Amino acid sequence: CGKNYEIKSPRMRHSKRFEINFRAVWAQMVTGGGSAKLSEQCATMGIPGMTSGTFSAIEEEIGELWKQV
């Protein structure tokens, strides 16, 4: 369509991470995906993904939060 949209994402209260990244990793974790799958999905939509290192760091943060529940 030739239009560009800007998505503003706040940082998480308990983390320095942006909420959109945190939720993207969470979605991959609960659906059996991973870093490569997220990168593939982002590329398909023409949006930048995240590095596997960033994905892993967020994944660890989520794991720690799940331990607190």
Side-chain angles (χ1 to χ4, degrees), residues 11-26:
R11 294 193 185 267
M12 300 295 289
R13 285 178 287 149
H14 51 75
S15 173
K16 64 180 181 177
R17 310 288 179 187
F18 286 106
E19 183 177 357
I20 194 167
N21 293 338
F22 197 88
R23 290 179 181 272
V25 172
W26 188 310

Side-chain angles (χ1 to χ4, degrees), residues 18-53:
F18 286 106
E19 183 177 357
I20 194 167
N21 293 338
F22 197 88
R23 290 179 181 272
V25 172
W26 188 310
Q28 290 302 315
M29 291 173 71
V30 299
T31 60
S35 176
K37 188 65 158 181
L38 178 60
S39 292
E40 184 178 341
Q41 290 171 336
C42 289
T44 300
M45 294 182 284
I47 59 175
M50 67 179 75
T51 66
S52 60

Side-chain angles (χ1 to χ4, degrees), residues 43-62:
T44 300
M45 294 182 284
I47 59 175
M50 67 179 75
T51 66
S52 60
T54 299
F55 184 96
S56 294
I58 295 172
E59 189 176 38
E60 288 178 25
E61 286 183 41
I62 292 170

